[in-house]
Amino acid sequence: MSIGGDSIPIDDLARGTNTSYLHQFNNGGDSSSSLLLHNSDDPGMNLVTTPLTGSNYLTWSRSMKIALIAKQKLGFVNGKLEQPDVNSKDYEQWLRVDSMVISWILNSIC
């Protein structure tokens, strides 16, 4: 679901289990959270135009890094966004987004 151009987990809204996202948007919070997925985010997406073949690693890695920065997901790859404790309220959402990032990377490898 999109609120103010940003997405929040629709299943959380349907269950009413995660209203912190609504609170964040309603109070002008930072909508650039790395834990958000947008409606256009899809596990089948190709973030780079040329897949990794081995000999093109430098250009592929630069393109992938730029794409992940643009999607605010580089922290999942470089370790700056650490996995929360499994008992944390953010763990399930972190796992969803981490899985999405992994699928994007796998889609870009020959």
XYZ file of all heavy atoms in Angstrom:
848
model
N 0.842 -1.174 0.000
C 0.000 0.000 0.000
C 0.884 1.233 0.000
O 1.918 1.255 0.624
C -0.900 -0.008 1.216
C -1.718 1.236 1.338
S -2.874 1.095 2.681
C -4.099 2.187 2.069
N 0.472 2.253 -0.684
C 1.250 3.471 -0.787
C 0.596 4.579 0.029
O -0.590 4.826 -0.085
C 1.355 3.883 -2.247
O 2.119 5.049 -2.352
N 1.403 5.216 0.854
C 0.954 6.373 1.623
C 1.952 7.484 1.350
O 3.121 7.355 1.651
C 0.903 6.076 3.133
C -0.105 4.990 3.421
C 0.592 7.345 3.909
C -0.185 4.592 4.867
N 1.495 8.535 0.736
C 2.395 9.638 0.434
C 3.513 9.242 -0.496
O 4.605 9.759 -0.416
N 3.271 8.254 -1.383
C 4.287 7.827 -2.329
C 5.194 6.743 -1.793
O 6.050 6.237 -2.495
N 5.055 6.361 -0.530
C 5.890 5.322 0.055
C 5.045 4.116 0.390
O 3.844 4.223 0.612
C 6.589 5.841 1.309
C 7.589 6.912 0.968
O 8.559 6.623 0.266
O 7.363 8.054 1.403
N 5.688 2.955 0.446
C 4.945 1.720 0.658
C 5.111 1.204 2.072
O 6.131 1.404 2.709
C 5.439 0.656 -0.315
O 5.196 1.074 -1.620
N 4.082 0.504 2.523
C 4.131 -0.181 3.804
C 3.625 -1.595 3.582
O 2.908 -1.858 2.623
C 3.301 0.546 4.879
C 1.846 0.687 4.436
C 3.890 1.890 5.200
C 0.956 1.286 5.493
N 4.016 -2.527 4.426
C 3.605 -3.920 4.238
C 2.086 -4.068 4.322
O 1.490 -3.846 5.353
C 4.291 -4.660 5.382
C 5.347 -3.735 5.877
C 4.869 -2.347 5.574
N 1.463 -4.456 3.235
C 0.012 -4.547 3.149
C -0.550 -5.608 4.088
O -1.602 -5.415 4.686
C -0.449 -4.775 1.692
C -1.951 -4.565 1.558
C -0.066 -6.140 1.199
C -2.370 -3.155 1.491
N 0.189 -6.723 4.255
C -0.322 -7.769 5.139
C -0.356 -7.298 6.586
O -1.234 -7.664 7.344
C 0.483 -9.069 4.987
C 1.969 -8.881 5.172
O 2.552 -8.046 4.448
O 2.553 -9.560 6.019
N 0.583 -6.437 6.974
C 0.566 -5.887 8.324
C -0.641 -4.972 8.514
O -1.269 -4.965 9.561
C 1.852 -5.102 8.608
C 3.058 -6.011 8.805
O 2.860 -7.246 8.889
O 4.179 -5.487 8.875
N -0.948 -4.182 7.487
C -2.109 -3.299 7.585
C -3.393 -4.105 7.677
O -4.284 -3.789 8.449
C -2.179 -2.381 6.372
C -1.310 -1.143 6.413
C -1.500 -0.353 5.127
C -1.638 -0.283 7.603
N -3.496 -5.158 6.858
C -4.708 -5.971 6.834
C -4.960 -6.610 8.203
O -6.095 -6.699 8.652
C -4.602 -7.042 5.758
N -3.877 -7.048 8.847
C -4.020 -7.664 10.163
C -4.084 -6.619 11.269
O -4.438 -6.934 12.397
C -2.835 -8.588 10.429
C -2.823 -9.840 9.607
C -1.787 -10.833 10.122
N -0.480 -10.244 10.298
C 0.507 -10.274 9.418
N 0.335 -10.869 8.258
N 1.672 -9.727 9.668
N -3.670 -5.387 10.935
C -3.634 -4.338 11.950
C -2.535 -4.553 12.963
O -2.594 -4.078 14.083
N -1.472 -5.294 12.564
C -0.428 -5.652 13.512
C 0.735 -4.693 13.538
O 1.544 -4.736 14.439
C 0.128 -7.053 13.209
O 0.624 -7.064 11.865
C -0.939 -8.108 13.380
N 0.868 -3.842 12.534
C 2.026 -2.963 12.514
C 1.584 -1.546 12.193
O 1.700 -1.099 11.063
C 3.061 -3.452 11.515
C 4.390 -2.771 11.725
O 4.471 -1.743 12.382
N 5.430 -3.337 11.175
N 1.115 -0.864 13.180
C 0.662 0.504 12.972
C 1.800 1.500 13.119
O 1.603 2.687 12.905
C -0.469 0.853 13.960
O 0.011 0.661 15.290
C -1.695 0.005 13.706
N 3.004 1.031 13.455
C 4.133 1.954 13.570
C 4.426 2.617 12.238
O 4.866 3.758 12.191
C 5.380 1.230 14.085
O 5.813 0.270 13.151
N 4.168 1.911 11.130
C 4.370 2.517 9.816
C 3.398 3.674 9.618
O 3.781 4.725 9.132
C 4.183 1.489 8.694
C 5.295 0.493 8.619
C 5.148 -0.786 9.131
C 6.504 0.837 8.040
C 6.172 -1.694 9.066
C 7.544 -0.071 7.965
C 7.375 -1.337 8.485
O 8.391 -2.229 8.416
N 2.143 3.467 9.989
C 1.166 4.538 9.864
C 1.555 5.711 10.747
O 1.482 6.866 10.345
C -0.228 4.039 10.234
C -0.865 3.087 9.245
C -2.197 2.585 9.796
C -1.068 3.750 7.908
N 1.981 5.429 11.962
C 2.407 6.481 12.879
C 3.566 7.261 12.270
O 3.607 8.489 12.318
C 2.805 5.872 14.221
C 3.279 6.876 15.214
N 2.413 7.701 15.893
C 4.511 7.194 15.623
C 3.103 8.486 16.697
N 4.381 8.199 16.549
N 4.510 6.546 11.662
C 5.671 7.173 11.053
C 5.249 8.144 9.956
O 5.709 9.275 9.900
C 6.574 6.091 10.470
C 7.712 6.601 9.618
C 8.466 5.466 8.980
O 8.397 4.332 9.434
N 9.176 5.757 7.937
N 4.345 7.725 9.076
C 3.919 8.577 7.983
C 3.048 9.724 8.472
O 3.165 10.834 7.989
C 3.173 7.767 6.922
C 4.095 6.924 6.108
C 4.097 5.553 6.257
C 4.966 7.496 5.203
C 4.956 4.776 5.515
C 5.835 6.727 4.453
C 5.835 5.358 4.605
N 2.173 9.447 9.412
C 1.270 10.480 9.902
C 2.003 11.559 10.679
O 1.507 12.655 10.835
C 0.165 9.871 10.775
C -0.808 9.061 9.947
O -0.981 9.309 8.765
N -1.443 8.087 10.574
N 3.176 11.236 11.180
C 3.931 12.205 11.965
C 5.147 12.728 11.218
O 6.072 13.223 11.830
C 4.347 11.571 13.297
C 3.155 11.356 14.185
O 2.482 12.301 14.557
N 2.864 10.109 14.498
N 5.156 12.591 9.908
C 6.249 13.142 9.116
C 7.570 12.443 9.339
O 8.630 13.023 9.145
N 7.534 11.175 9.735
C 8.756 10.433 9.981
C 9.524 10.164 8.708
O 9.103 10.494 7.604
N 10.668 9.575 8.859
C 11.535 9.282 7.721
C 10.932 8.146 6.911
O 10.874 7.023 7.359
C 12.923 8.902 8.227
C 13.892 8.593 7.105
O 13.599 8.916 5.944
O 14.947 8.022 7.397
N 10.507 8.446 5.702
C 9.887 7.433 4.853
C 10.916 6.692 4.008
O 10.558 5.912 3.148
C 8.841 8.078 3.949
O 9.465 9.000 3.085
N 12.197 6.928 4.242
C 13.233 6.300 3.435
C 13.809 5.061 4.114
O 14.898 4.631 3.791
C 14.336 7.311 3.136
O 14.957 7.716 4.346
N 13.085 4.488 5.030
C 13.562 3.329 5.766
C 13.946 2.185 4.834
O 13.229 1.880 3.884
C 12.493 2.835 6.735
O 12.868 1.602 7.297
N 15.053 1.568 5.115
C 15.500 0.422 4.325
C 14.578 -0.775 4.475
O 14.643 -1.705 3.684
C 16.918 0.027 4.737
O 17.815 1.053 4.404
N 13.726 -0.779 5.482
C 12.827 -1.906 5.697
C 11.525 -1.800 4.914
O 10.672 -2.669 5.016
C 12.518 -2.064 7.186
C 13.695 -2.478 8.058
C 13.263 -2.594 9.516
C 14.310 -3.778 7.589
N 11.382 -0.751 4.129
C 10.176 -0.595 3.332
C 10.352 -1.210 1.954
O 11.420 -1.110 1.362
C 9.819 0.884 3.171
C 9.425 1.632 4.433
C 9.171 3.094 4.115
C 8.208 1.013 5.069
N 9.317 -1.848 1.463
C 9.274 -2.319 0.080
C 8.195 -1.509 -0.626
O 7.155 -1.206 -0.045
C 8.951 -3.812 0.013
C 10.054 -4.745 0.495
C 9.554 -6.176 0.558
C 11.276 -4.641 -0.394
N 8.449 -1.177 -1.857
C 7.500 -0.396 -2.638
C 6.666 -1.312 -3.528
O 7.039 -2.465 -3.781
C 8.253 0.649 -3.478
C 8.980 1.635 -2.624
N 8.404 2.782 -2.167
C 10.235 1.620 -2.112
C 9.269 3.439 -1.416
N 10.378 2.754 -1.364
N 5.546 -0.807 -3.981
C 4.671 -1.604 -4.841
C 5.399 -2.141 -6.064
O 5.074 -3.212 -6.555
C 3.469 -0.778 -5.293
C 2.547 -0.451 -4.153
O 2.498 -1.159 -3.157
N 1.819 0.640 -4.284
N 6.365 -1.408 -6.562
C 7.091 -1.829 -7.764
C 8.182 -2.856 -7.465
O 8.733 -3.437 -8.396
C 7.706 -0.609 -8.453
O 8.632 0.018 -7.584
N 8.502 -3.087 -6.201
C 9.528 -4.071 -5.851
C 8.992 -5.474 -6.061
O 7.907 -5.814 -5.590
C 9.986 -3.883 -4.400
C 10.768 -2.600 -4.199
O 11.342 -2.100 -5.179
O 10.799 -2.100 -3.063
N 9.762 -6.269 -6.774
C 9.318 -7.593 -7.198
C 10.517 -8.534 -7.157
O 11.608 -8.152 -7.586
C 8.775 -7.439 -8.624
C 8.345 -8.720 -9.276
O 9.029 -9.742 -9.125
O 7.324 -8.687 -9.971
N 10.368 -9.762 -6.679
C 11.506 -10.684 -6.633
C 12.085 -11.011 -8.008
O 13.233 -11.411 -8.122
C 10.950 -11.951 -5.983
C 9.605 -11.627 -5.497
C 9.169 -10.336 -6.098
N 11.316 -10.806 -9.072
C 11.800 -11.098 -10.422
C 12.469 -9.926 -11.107
O 12.863 -10.029 -12.266
N 12.624 -8.807 -10.394
C 13.218 -7.605 -10.995
C 14.678 -7.807 -11.350
O 15.407 -8.517 -10.662
C 13.143 -6.419 -10.022
C 11.781 -5.843 -9.836
S 11.762 -4.530 -8.595
C 12.819 -3.314 -9.351
N 15.082 -7.163 -12.428
C 16.495 -7.081 -12.794
C 16.949 -5.657 -12.509
O 16.475 -4.728 -13.149
C 16.696 -7.421 -14.268
C 16.433 -8.874 -14.542
O 16.906 -9.737 -13.821
N 15.666 -9.149 -15.569
N 17.852 -5.499 -11.561
C 18.309 -4.166 -11.186
C 19.407 -3.646 -12.100
O 19.662 -2.446 -12.139
C 18.813 -4.155 -9.740
C 17.786 -4.457 -8.648
C 18.425 -4.267 -7.278
C 16.553 -3.592 -8.790
N 20.079 -4.542 -12.801
C 21.155 -4.143 -13.710
C 20.845 -4.676 -15.102
O 20.181 -5.699 -15.258
C 22.532 -4.643 -13.221
C 22.906 -3.987 -11.900
C 22.568 -6.145 -13.070
N 21.332 -3.967 -16.107
C 21.008 -4.349 -17.481
C 21.841 -5.516 -17.990
O 21.372 -6.284 -18.820
C 21.184 -3.154 -18.437
O 22.518 -2.652 -18.310
C 20.192 -2.055 -18.110
N 23.070 -5.640 -17.492
C 23.946 -6.714 -17.949
C 24.232 -7.655 -16.787
O 24.779 -7.237 -15.768
C 25.271 -6.144 -18.489
O 24.980 -5.173 -19.484
C 26.141 -7.238 -19.074
N 23.863 -8.932 -16.910
C 24.122 -9.878 -15.814
C 25.613 -10.152 -15.625
O 26.406 -9.984 -16.547
C 23.390 -11.148 -16.250
C 23.079 -10.986 -17.681
C 23.186 -9.543 -18.023
N 25.945 -10.582 -14.432
C 27.333 -10.929 -14.097
C 27.748 -12.173 -14.861
O 27.074 -13.206 -14.808
C 27.461 -11.164 -12.597
C 28.824 -11.638 -12.098
C 29.889 -10.575 -12.338
C 28.742 -12.001 -10.630
N 28.858 -12.066 -15.577
C 29.391 -13.210 -16.317
C 30.741 -13.644 -15.781
O 31.263 -14.668 -16.187
C 29.555 -12.863 -17.814
O 30.472 -11.773 -17.933
C 28.222 -12.519 -18.436
N 31.330 -12.883 -14.915
C 32.655 -13.163 -14.375
C 33.656 -12.139 -14.866
O 34.307 -11.464 -14.092
N 33.758 -12.010 -16.193
C 34.715 -11.057 -16.757
C 34.247 -9.609 -16.616
O 35.036 -8.686 -16.759
C 34.964 -11.383 -18.234
O 33.760 -11.272 -18.966
N 32.982 -9.394 -16.323
C 32.455 -8.036 -16.187
C 32.174 -7.657 -14.727
O 31.352 -6.800 -14.463
C 31.185 -7.879 -17.022
C 30.029 -8.706 -16.487
O 30.221 -9.657 -15.740
N 28.820 -8.353 -16.893
N 32.879 -8.300 -13.792
C 32.582 -8.088 -12.376
C 32.637 -6.619 -11.961
O 31.753 -6.149 -11.247
C 33.508 -8.912 -11.471
C 33.262 -8.604 -10.019
C 32.140 -9.116 -9.372
C 34.099 -7.744 -9.311
C 31.872 -8.801 -8.043
C 33.836 -7.421 -7.986
C 32.727 -7.953 -7.367
O 32.460 -7.626 -6.061
N 33.675 -5.896 -12.373
C 33.812 -4.507 -11.920
C 32.638 -3.641 -12.349
O 32.073 -2.899 -11.537
C 35.132 -3.909 -12.417
C 36.388 -4.454 -11.735
C 37.640 -3.842 -12.350
C 36.343 -4.202 -10.243
N 32.231 -3.734 -13.608
C 31.107 -2.914 -14.061
C 29.789 -3.415 -13.460
O 28.930 -2.620 -13.092
C 31.009 -2.876 -15.598
O 30.938 -4.204 -16.092
C 32.201 -2.173 -16.205
N 29.640 -4.741 -13.347
C 28.428 -5.301 -12.740
C 28.297 -4.858 -11.287
O 27.226 -4.419 -10.859
C 28.442 -6.827 -12.825
C 27.302 -7.456 -12.092
C 26.060 -7.707 -12.583
C 27.294 -7.893 -10.719
N 25.274 -8.279 -11.601
C 26.006 -8.402 -10.455
C 28.247 -7.895 -9.708
C 25.655 -8.916 -9.203
C 27.886 -8.406 -8.462
C 26.604 -8.913 -8.225
N 29.390 -4.968 -10.527
C 29.316 -4.629 -9.099
C 29.035 -3.141 -8.901
O 28.288 -2.766 -8.001
C 30.591 -5.041 -8.360
O 31.701 -4.311 -8.825
N 29.595 -2.301 -9.757
C 29.321 -0.868 -9.663
C 27.848 -0.593 -9.971
O 27.181 0.154 -9.259
C 30.214 -0.082 -10.616
C 30.041 1.414 -10.476
C 31.116 2.157 -11.273
N 31.117 3.563 -10.960
C 30.356 4.468 -11.564
N 29.519 4.103 -12.513
N 30.419 5.735 -11.228
N 27.326 -1.215 -11.006
C 25.915 -1.036 -11.372
C 24.990 -1.544 -10.271
O 23.987 -0.906 -9.944
C 25.602 -1.761 -12.679
O 26.322 -1.203 -13.736
N 25.318 -2.706 -9.694
C 24.491 -3.272 -8.627
C 24.532 -2.381 -7.390
O 23.498 -2.125 -6.760
C 24.970 -4.685 -8.283
C 24.144 -5.369 -7.217
S 22.381 -5.516 -7.585
C 22.399 -6.810 -8.806
N 25.707 -1.874 -7.061
C 25.824 -0.992 -5.897
C 24.995 0.272 -6.098
O 24.267 0.690 -5.193
C 27.295 -0.627 -5.659
C 27.503 0.244 -4.447
C 28.975 0.523 -4.205
C 29.148 1.411 -2.988
N 30.556 1.708 -2.716
N 25.057 0.859 -7.276
C 24.278 2.069 -7.569
C 22.784 1.774 -7.445
O 22.032 2.556 -6.865
C 24.638 2.617 -8.962
C 26.055 3.193 -8.940
C 23.626 3.660 -9.421
C 26.612 3.508 -10.311
N 22.353 0.640 -7.991
C 20.934 0.270 -7.934
C 20.484 0.056 -6.487
O 19.394 0.496 -6.094
C 20.684 -0.980 -8.764
N 21.297 -0.616 -5.688
C 20.937 -0.863 -4.292
C 20.925 0.436 -3.476
O 20.089 0.601 -2.581
C 21.866 -1.900 -3.672
C 21.700 -3.313 -4.216
C 22.801 -4.228 -3.694
C 20.322 -3.877 -3.884
N 21.821 1.343 -3.795
C 21.805 2.654 -3.127
C 20.518 3.390 -3.481
O 19.847 3.960 -2.614
C 23.047 3.490 -3.515
C 24.293 2.896 -2.869
C 22.865 4.952 -3.112
C 25.599 3.499 -3.377
N 20.156 3.360 -4.755
C 18.940 4.045 -5.194
C 17.696 3.472 -4.516
O 16.749 4.204 -4.230
C 18.809 3.944 -6.711
N 17.700 2.165 -4.236
C 16.554 1.521 -3.591
C 16.700 1.512 -2.066
O 15.866 0.945 -1.363
C 16.397 0.092 -4.117
C 16.001 0.087 -5.602
C 15.581 -1.258 -6.034
C 14.188 -1.483 -6.408
N 13.163 -0.549 -6.280
N 17.759 2.127 -1.559
C 18.041 2.215 -0.128
C 18.167 0.835 0.517
O 17.681 0.594 1.624
C 16.985 3.066 0.569
C 16.950 4.467 0.019
C 15.764 5.266 0.491
O 14.740 4.713 0.871
N 15.894 6.575 0.457
N 18.846 -0.064 -0.188
C 19.006 -1.430 0.297
C 20.461 -1.870 0.396
O 20.734 -3.031 0.684
C 18.266 -2.424 -0.635
C 16.793 -2.113 -0.832
C 15.996 -2.226 0.441
C 14.516 -2.067 0.196
N 13.947 -0.860 0.756
N 21.420 -0.984 0.174
C 22.824 -1.368 0.212
C 23.224 -1.908 1.584
O 24.058 -2.796 1.688
C 23.727 -0.200 -0.188
C 25.211 -0.526 -0.305
C 25.456 -1.568 -1.384
C 26.023 0.725 -0.574
N 22.600 -1.417 2.638
C 22.915 -1.863 3.997
C 22.725 -3.355 4.209
O 23.371 -3.961 5.064
N 21.855 -3.986 3.419
C 21.663 -5.429 3.520
C 22.873 -6.184 2.984
O 23.138 -7.308 3.390
C 20.415 -5.867 2.733
C 19.135 -5.499 3.418
C 18.523 -4.286 3.161
C 18.546 -6.364 4.323
C 17.341 -3.937 3.784
C 17.367 -6.033 4.963
C 16.763 -4.813 4.695
N 23.608 -5.572 2.065
C 24.744 -6.233 1.424
C 26.053 -5.901 2.128
O 26.894 -6.776 2.318
C 24.819 -5.831 -0.072
C 26.042 -6.414 -0.734
C 23.558 -6.264 -0.791
N 26.225 -4.653 2.532
C 27.507 -4.262 3.127
C 27.554 -4.449 4.643
O 28.556 -4.154 5.274
C 27.872 -2.825 2.745
C 26.948 -1.785 3.322
O 26.132 -2.049 4.208
N 27.056 -0.569 2.805
N 26.465 -4.931 5.238
C 26.455 -5.240 6.662
C 26.093 -4.080 7.577
O 26.035 -4.246 8.795
N 25.826 -2.916 7.020
C 25.476 -1.770 7.868
C 24.078 -1.887 8.462
O 23.783 -1.279 9.478
C 25.624 -0.469 7.090
C 27.073 -0.129 6.832
C 27.231 1.228 6.219
C 28.705 1.527 6.036
N 28.921 2.846 5.449
N 23.213 -2.662 7.822
C 21.871 -2.906 8.359
C 21.856 -4.350 8.871
O 21.587 -5.284 8.129
C 20.803 -2.697 7.287
C 19.365 -2.807 7.775
C 19.060 -1.725 8.803
C 18.403 -2.699 6.624
N 22.169 -4.499 10.122
C 22.307 -5.831 10.703
C 20.947 -6.490 10.938
O 19.943 -5.819 11.149
C 23.073 -5.751 12.014
C 24.500 -5.288 11.839
C 25.252 -5.235 13.149
O 24.704 -5.675 14.186
O 26.393 -4.760 13.135
N 20.966 -7.808 10.911
C 19.760 -8.577 11.181
C 19.329 -8.334 12.620
O 20.120 -8.486 13.546
C 20.040 -10.067 10.978
C 18.876 -10.945 11.340
C 19.190 -12.422 11.143
O 19.972 -12.777 10.282
N 18.587 -13.256 11.951
N 18.067 -7.948 12.816
C 17.596 -7.778 14.188
C 17.425 -9.133 14.884
O 17.369 -10.175 14.224
C 16.240 -7.080 14.023
C 15.846 -7.252 12.614
C 17.066 -7.600 11.824
N 17.346 -9.094 16.174
C 17.092 -10.303 16.958
C 15.784 -10.936 16.487
O 14.839 -10.227 16.144
C 17.000 -9.923 18.439
C 16.801 -11.132 19.321
O 17.786 -11.818 19.627
O 15.622 -11.396 19.677
N 15.721 -12.267 16.478
C 14.524 -12.967 15.985
C 13.274 -12.616 16.788
O 12.164 -12.780 16.296
C 14.719 -14.498 15.940
C 15.775 -14.885 14.925
C 15.049 -15.057 17.303
N 13.432 -12.118 17.982
C 12.285 -11.720 18.800
C 11.905 -10.252 18.606
O 10.929 -9.790 19.192
C 12.574 -11.992 20.279
C 12.748 -13.472 20.547
O 11.996 -14.288 20.034
N 13.759 -13.815 21.321
N 12.669 -9.549 17.793
C 12.401 -8.130 17.539
C 11.153 -7.967 16.680
O 10.856 -8.794 15.824
C 13.602 -7.512 16.822
O 13.270 -6.246 16.299
N 10.443 -6.861 16.877
C 9.258 -6.581 16.062
C 9.630 -6.337 14.603
O 8.795 -6.483 13.720
C 8.492 -5.389 16.621
C 9.230 -4.073 16.521
C 8.388 -2.918 17.036
C 9.085 -1.605 16.940
N 9.405 -1.169 15.603
N 10.882 -5.988 14.321
C 11.331 -5.718 12.958
C 11.872 -6.942 12.238
O 12.167 -6.869 11.042
C 12.427 -4.648 12.959
C 11.906 -3.298 13.394
O 10.726 -3.001 13.092
O 12.671 -2.547 14.022
N 12.003 -8.069 12.938
C 12.665 -9.231 12.331
C 11.961 -9.740 11.072
O 12.597 -9.960 10.046
C 12.798 -10.374 13.343
C 13.406 -11.607 12.707
C 14.762 -11.645 12.416
C 12.622 -12.710 12.380
C 15.327 -12.753 11.820
C 13.178 -13.818 11.777
C 14.535 -13.840 11.498
O 15.089 -14.929 10.896
N 10.660 -9.936 11.113
C 9.936 -10.489 9.958
C 10.039 -9.569 8.743
O 10.224 -10.027 7.622
C 8.469 -10.763 10.300
C 8.274 -11.912 11.266
C 8.731 -13.257 10.717
O 8.538 -13.506 9.509
O 9.287 -14.048 11.494
N 9.919 -8.261 8.959
C 10.031 -7.317 7.848
C 11.457 -7.300 7.317
O 11.676 -7.238 6.107
C 9.590 -5.918 8.270
C 9.596 -4.915 7.129
C 8.617 -5.263 6.019
O 7.665 -6.011 6.213
N 8.844 -4.716 4.844
N 12.440 -7.346 8.198
C 13.841 -7.396 7.768
C 14.070 -8.635 6.907
O 14.714 -8.560 5.861
C 14.777 -7.406 8.984
C 16.222 -7.425 8.583
C 17.037 -6.349 8.415
C 17.012 -8.582 8.284
N 18.281 -6.778 8.025
C 18.291 -8.128 7.935
C 16.751 -9.950 8.269
C 19.328 -8.999 7.578
C 17.768 -10.821 7.907
C 19.042 -10.348 7.573
N 13.521 -9.774 7.331
C 13.681 -11.028 6.593
C 13.052 -10.929 5.203
O 13.630 -11.393 4.217
C 13.068 -12.178 7.388
C 13.320 -13.586 6.890
C 14.813 -13.890 6.851
C 12.610 -14.584 7.786
N 11.874 -10.310 5.100
C 11.221 -10.118 3.792
C 12.089 -9.295 2.849
O 12.287 -9.646 1.692
C 9.879 -9.399 3.969
C 8.762 -10.266 4.402
C 7.451 -9.457 4.375
N 6.521 -10.068 5.285
C 6.116 -9.542 6.431
N 6.530 -8.350 6.804
N 5.280 -10.179 7.203
N 12.575 -8.173 3.357
C 13.365 -7.279 2.513
C 14.703 -7.923 2.162
O 15.152 -7.843 1.015
C 13.556 -5.902 3.182
C 14.409 -4.992 2.314
C 12.206 -5.260 3.470
N 15.334 -8.592 3.114
C 16.596 -9.280 2.845
C 16.405 -10.336 1.756
O 17.235 -10.452 0.846
C 17.124 -9.924 4.132
C 18.504 -10.523 3.954
O 19.440 -9.764 3.624
O 18.643 -11.743 4.140
N 15.317 -11.071 1.810
C 15.021 -12.079 0.781
C 14.815 -11.433 -0.578
O 15.240 -11.969 -1.610
C 13.784 -12.885 1.167
O 14.023 -13.598 2.352
N 14.192 -10.275 -0.595
C 13.988 -9.550 -1.852
C 15.332 -9.135 -2.441
O 15.579 -9.312 -3.636
C 13.106 -8.320 -1.624
C 12.745 -7.574 -2.877
S 11.507 -8.396 -3.892
C 10.042 -8.101 -2.916
N 16.215 -8.605 -1.613
C 17.535 -8.178 -2.079
C 18.312 -9.377 -2.621
O 18.931 -9.299 -3.691
C 18.318 -7.458 -0.954
C 19.759 -7.212 -1.354
C 17.635 -6.150 -0.587
N 18.256 -10.494 -1.929
C 18.936 -11.704 -2.405
C 18.395 -12.118 -3.763
O 19.153 -12.457 -4.680
C 18.794 -12.851 -1.380
C 19.608 -12.538 -0.132
C 19.218 -14.187 -1.990
C 19.342 -13.458 1.035
N 17.080 -12.068 -3.939
C 16.505 -12.466 -5.229
C 16.945 -11.510 -6.336
O 17.216 -11.943 -7.458
C 14.980 -12.548 -5.149
O 14.404 -11.280 -4.996
N 17.042 -10.214 -6.053
C 17.511 -9.263 -7.057
C 18.939 -9.585 -7.489
O 19.262 -9.529 -8.667
C 17.464 -7.837 -6.523
C 16.083 -7.297 -6.299
C 14.916 -7.721 -6.875
C 15.731 -6.224 -5.441
N 13.860 -6.980 -6.422
C 14.330 -6.037 -5.534
C 16.450 -5.397 -4.589
C 13.644 -5.074 -4.820
C 15.772 -4.429 -3.882
C 14.383 -4.267 -4.000
N 19.776 -9.924 -6.530
C 21.178 -10.253 -6.856
C 21.237 -11.549 -7.669
O 21.930 -11.624 -8.690
C 22.027 -10.327 -5.575
C 22.131 -8.925 -4.945
C 23.412 -10.891 -5.878
C 22.729 -8.906 -3.571
N 20.504 -12.557 -7.244
C 20.505 -13.834 -7.974
C 19.979 -13.676 -9.396
O 20.449 -14.340 -10.321
C 19.697 -14.888 -7.216
C 20.316 -15.369 -5.909
C 19.361 -16.334 -5.195
C 21.671 -16.025 -6.143
N 19.019 -12.775 -9.600
C 18.479 -12.516 -10.942
C 19.502 -11.888 -11.871
O 19.312 -11.880 -13.082
C 17.255 -11.602 -10.875
C 16.059 -12.279 -10.311
O 15.954 -13.502 -10.305
N 15.130 -11.499 -9.791
N 20.572 -11.340 -11.302
C 21.552 -10.624 -12.119
C 22.815 -11.442 -12.378
O 23.811 -10.920 -12.852
C 21.920 -9.314 -11.454
O 22.706 -9.546 -10.298
N 22.765 -12.717 -12.076
C 23.924 -13.601 -12.258
C 23.608 -14.630 -13.335
O 22.559 -15.279 -13.287
C 24.277 -14.308 -10.935
C 24.633 -13.280 -9.863
C 25.400 -15.296 -11.141
C 24.830 -13.873 -8.485
N 24.531 -14.769 -14.298
C 24.340 -15.785 -15.357
C 24.651 -17.166 -14.846
O 25.474 -17.395 -14.056
C 25.244 -15.501 -16.544
S 24.621 -14.217 -17.605
